[in-house]
Amino acid sequence: MNKEIIINSSTSQNHVAITEDGNLVDFFVDHPEKRRMVGDVYLGKVARVMPGIRAVFIDIGMKHDAFLHFSDIGERTEALQSMLDEDNDSDDSDDDDKEENAAQVQPPAEAKQPSPKPEQKDHRQITKLHKGEEILIQIIKEPVKDKGVRCTSSISIPGRFCVLLPLDDKIGVSKKIYDFRERKRLRRIARGILPSNCGLIIRTAAKDQSEESLSGDLKYLVKIWEDMQEDAKKQEPPFLLYKDLSTTISVIRDLFTPDVSKVFVDSKKLFKEIRNYVQFIQPALIDRIELYKEDQSIFEAFKIDEQIKGLMGRKVPLPSGGHIVIEHTEAMVVIDVNSGRYAAKKEQELNSLKTDLEASREIVRQLRLRDIGGLIVVDFIDLEDEKNRKKIYDELKKEFKKDRAKIALLPMTEFGLMQITRERIRENILQSMNEACPYCMGTGYLTKKSNLMHEIDHWLKRFKAEGKGTSLTLKVHPSLGEKLKEGFISPLSKIQLRYFVRLKLIEDEKMSPQHFYFISTKTGDDITADFV
């Protein structure tokens, strides 16, 4: 399999595409309006403790306070709090008051989590946080619409080969490293190089790497953590202690592995930046980075543009003639699977199975490409045989192994519905690359002209009931103006005759087609809201 990373850079955005044998499998957009926040570490202050919703809100200097759920308050929080308080004078006289205002922090009910194993620490132990208390937090989910960022108090600092877990003692190895001997070797190296009071997760990219490479990566991460500790003691909250890499460089850090044959970049500046970074983290891969110099757009040359266009559409075709329709709602994403050509009844089950299997593979691909998270409900074509429904479930589980996000799915119901939850980290591609239409406000619908004319009629009826004069200016969009003027006796003339009012019609292309305005001829004031 030929795996490539193609980066298209412009003055305003970077687009990063990852392909396998020419097929787009991952797509990222790096733009200034939505700078990457996941991984950033802040020194914050507890703004509100909300036991009713099992959450704490942290002031980190953003429009909305960061949301810290009780289940995201890790065991390391008390150690971090002690580190922050080292240089502060303490006064035990108000301990009783603190006890009263403390939040009893524990994970959700046992029904929602497995019982702890005997050898594990009991994660239900109580932790206390107080309003006004300083706390170190790390962003784990970016803001979506009117919701603020979600954060955790368990800090982790990712590098090329490993992830440092300050004030922890855990050593983990990526599940994608399957070889037992290699896992054992990496654990041995980790134990030998890991400083005290720190844990470590060995990443997939560490496979077959030398001890020197892992040690160098770890020293870099430890230096970041030491700098963060020093800043946390000197600064006042809210304060940004650590800024993670940009989307483009983080993709290189996380996904530029030895199985990637080439990285193509069409910007000299970004090419040099990526080369310098790779020279530092893994010099052996530097020759695979290539500057694209052709006149044709890099995404056109690699046939990425035509594949990206499919990300924006509701309807996605399937190989056998069927298609899936992807709809976004406030609470969830709904995907409908539709069959293509008509099949005879005796072949209906087989054709439905074939379409559902194709849809399963395409759904997983689309969820990855569009970065869709949260609750997803899929309406498959009905299958009568339970074995066939199980095949769809197994196919989805197999395809989701390629996805880096956390996934949970339930078996298909007898109505052909399947529920999936996918980890949401940032806005999906549709939200990231589009804005809500200022006319329809994202609904996709505009009020019919006849309804607007009906509203104008009702407005004038209320206006005349008040006895406020006989001369007005009506300001509308040209599309509504045309409707008001059409016919031998126009609707505008009928309205004037009915209410004995003289209307001067003004058409303004800058106006929304959804609105109209009434202006008093006498005063020149907008009086629309006075008679709604």
Side-chain angles (χ1 to χ4, degrees):
M1 180 173 63
N2 183 33
K3 191 172 181 180
E4 295 174 332
I5 298 176
I6 299 121
I7 304 173
N8 170 222
S9 179
S10 69
T11 54
S12 59
Q13 293 185 350
N14 293 332
H15 289 189
V16 184
I18 299 176
T19 64
E20 293 175 359
D21 293 331
N23 295 315
L24 187 65
V25 294
D26 261 318
F27 182 62
F28 305 89
V29 179
D30 189 358
H31 47 93
E33 310 101 285
K34 295 284 185 181
R35 67 177 183 84
R36 175 184 163 89
M37 296 181 188
V38 172
D40 292 357
V41 178
Y42 282 84
L43 173 63
K45 182 178 284 189
V46 176
R48 287 169 292 159
V49 177
M50 309 285 286
I53 59 171
R54 308 183 63 77
V56 181
F57 288 90
I58 313 294
D59 176 15
I60 57 173
M62 294 184 180
K63 181 181 178 182
H64 300 288
D65 291 337
F67 178 87
L68 175 63
H69 193 270
F70 287 179
S71 62
D72 291 321
I73 300 178
E75 293 180 350
R76 289 175 270 161
T77 299
E78 290 178 6
L80 286 167
Q81 297 308 101
S82 300
M83 181 269 291
L84 286 174
D85 294 337
E86 275 179 5
D87 292 348
N88 297 335
D89 294 329
S90 61
D91 183 0
D92 296 330
S93 62
D94 62 349
D95 277 354
D96 291 338
D97 293 336
K98 289 182 179 178
E99 197 73 28
E100 271 188 14
N101 297 322
Q104 303 295 313
V105 177
Q106 50 193 356
E110 287 184 37
K112 294 185 179 180
Q113 65 176 40
S115 300
K117 295 178 182 178
E119 68 270 19
Q120 291 178 326
K121 293 181 180 178
D122 189 346
H123 291 284
R124 290 170 293 173
Q125 70 180 48
I126 294 174
T127 308
K128 294 177 172 61
L129 285 176
H130 320 272
K131 182 177 179 180
E133 186 174 1
E134 293 184 6
I135 182 172
L136 256 63
I137 59 96
Q138 185 169 37
I139 295 176
I140 54 175
K141 289 184 182 179
E142 294 188 355
V144 178
K145 295 185 179 178
D146 294 329
K147 296 179 182 177
V149 299
R150 181 162 181 168
C151 62
T152 177
S153 66
S154 298
I155 308 300
S156 58
I157 309 169
R160 170 64 171 170
F161 302 120
C162 50
V163 178
L164 180 68
L165 307 174
L167 306 174
D168 200 345
D169 57 0
K170 178 171 67 179
I171 295 178
V173 180
S174 167
K175 292 179 181 178
K176 292 183 180 179
I177 299 177
Y178 303 109
D179 185 79
F180 172 75
R181 291 189 181 86
E182 180 62 10
R183 294 176 66 88
K184 191 174 179 181
R185 181 186 77 88
L186 291 170
R187 282 184 181 276
R188 177 178 53 78
I189 292 173
R191 281 193 289 267
I193 63 176
L194 193 59
S196 59
N197 293 325
C198 282
L200 200 68
I201 296 175
I202 305 295
R203 307 187 72 173
T204 309
K207 184 181 178 184
D208 300 327
Q209 295 298 319
S210 65
E211 183 173 340
E212 289 75 21
S213 296
L214 268 66
S215 179
D217 195 38
L218 180 60
K219 284 177 183 176
Y220 170 68
L221 299 179
V222 170
K223 178 67 167 61
I224 291 174
W225 172 238
E226 289 173 348
D227 291 344
M228 285 168 55
Q229 292 179 85
E230 288 301 313
D231 287 342
K233 292 172 184 177
K234 296 175 186 175
Q235 304 295 337
E236 291 293 324
F239 184 79
L240 176 63
L241 294 172
Y242 169 71
K243 180 83 185 78
D244 201 11
L245 301 173
S246 67
T247 299
T248 305
I249 299 299
S250 68
V251 167
I252 295 297
R253 178 191 67 195
D254 300 340
L255 301 178
F256 185 21
T257 49
D259 64 332
V260 175
S261 57
K262 280 285 183 183
V263 175
F264 295 96
V265 192
D266 65 356
S267 161
K268 285 184 181 180
K269 182 182 177 182
L270 191 56
F271 171 72
K272 288 177 182 177
E273 186 181 343
I274 292 171
R275 273 183 65 90
N276 291 338
Y277 180 73
V278 174
Q279 179 71 51
F280 174 73
I281 61 162
Q282 200 168 7
L285 298 179
I286 200 165
D287 291 337
R288 302 188 189 185
I289 306 167
E290 188 174 310
L291 178 62
Y292 179 81
K293 300 177 181 177
E294 303 299 323
D295 292 334
Q296 187 183 16
S297 165
I298 187 170
F299 272 16
E300 283 183 18
F302 286 90
K303 298 182 179 178
I304 303 296
D305 276 341
E306 57 190 69
Q307 297 186 62
I308 290 174
K309 286 176 184 174
L311 297 181
M312 300 299 113
R314 293 171 58 250
K315 190 174 176 180
V316 181
L318 299 174
S320 295
H323 63 271
I324 62 174
V325 177
I326 303 172
E327 293 280 7
H328 294 259
T329 74
E330 190 70 25
M332 67 184 77
V333 172
V334 182
I335 302 177
D336 186 30
V337 181
N338 293 295
S339 60
R341 295 175 292 271
Y342 173 79
K345 190 169 183 180
K346 64 178 180 181
E347 299 173 349
Q348 187 173 336
E349 182 79 0
L350 289 176
N351 285 336
S352 296
L353 176 62
K354 183 180 179 181
T355 303
D356 282 347
L357 287 171
E358 289 178 355
S360 300
R361 293 185 280 271
E362 188 59 37
I363 286 166
V364 174
R365 177 172 174 267
Q366 290 294 327
L367 294 181
R368 285 177 63 193
L369 280 174
R370 299 176 188 230
D371 210 357
I372 293 173
L375 178 61
I376 300 132
V377 176
V378 185
D379 182 9
F380 284 99
I381 300 169
D382 290 347
L383 295 168
E384 295 179 6
D385 194 331
E386 177 61 34
K387 290 181 180 177
N388 289 336
R389 292 201 287 266
K390 179 71 164 53
K391 284 179 182 178
I392 303 302
Y393 177 76
D394 291 341
E395 184 70 17
L396 280 167
K397 284 188 72 173
K398 183 188 79 174
E399 291 295 316
F400 273 129
K401 287 180 180 178
K402 304 172 186 175
D403 197 336
R404 293 180 297 124
K406 293 176 184 175
I407 304 288
L409 65 157
L410 297 175
M412 186 188 295
T413 69
E414 59 186 69
F415 299 111
L417 299 177
M418 186 173 287
Q419 299 175 65
I420 303 167
T421 59
R422 185 176 185 271
E423 181 183 21
R424 180 193 283 123
I425 297 175
R426 62 187 66 85
E427 287 185 323
N428 61 58
I429 288 294
L430 198 65
Q431 293 168 331
S432 177
M433 296 183 70
N434 294 280
E435 293 180 352
C437 169
Y439 296 142
C440 72
M441 303 307 294
T443 64
Y445 294 97
L446 292 176
T447 306
K448 287 184 176 180
K449 304 292 186 300
S450 58
N451 277 16
L452 287 169
M453 289 159 64
H454 183 74
E455 288 177 23
I456 290 170
D457 191 293
H458 269 249
W459 190 96
L460 284 167
K461 187 174 184 179
R462 286 189 290 269
F463 172 78
K464 289 299 292 183
E466 298 285 336
K468 295 287 183 177
T470 59
S471 182
L472 294 170
T473 298
L474 175 58
K475 194 175 178 182
V476 298
H477 187 271
S479 61
L480 179 56
E482 286 297 316
K483 198 74 176 174
L484 285 165
K485 294 184 295 184
E486 70 181 14
F488 181 71
I489 302 177
S490 68
L492 185 65
S493 299
K494 290 177 181 177
I495 289 172
Q496 293 182 89
L497 290 169
R498 182 175 184 181
Y499 294 108
F500 298 102
V501 65
R502 184 161 55 254
L503 294 178
K504 179 184 177 183
L505 187 65
I506 294 179
E507 298 176 32
D508 186 354
E509 289 186 355
K510 295 179 181 178
M511 276 187 59
S512 166
Q514 296 278 85
H515 299 115
F516 58 85
Y517 298 101
F518 279 102
I519 299 165
S520 171
T521 306
K522 187 175 181 180
T523 64
D525 295 334
D526 181 354
I527 58 171
T528 315
D530 297 345
F531 301 96
V532 173

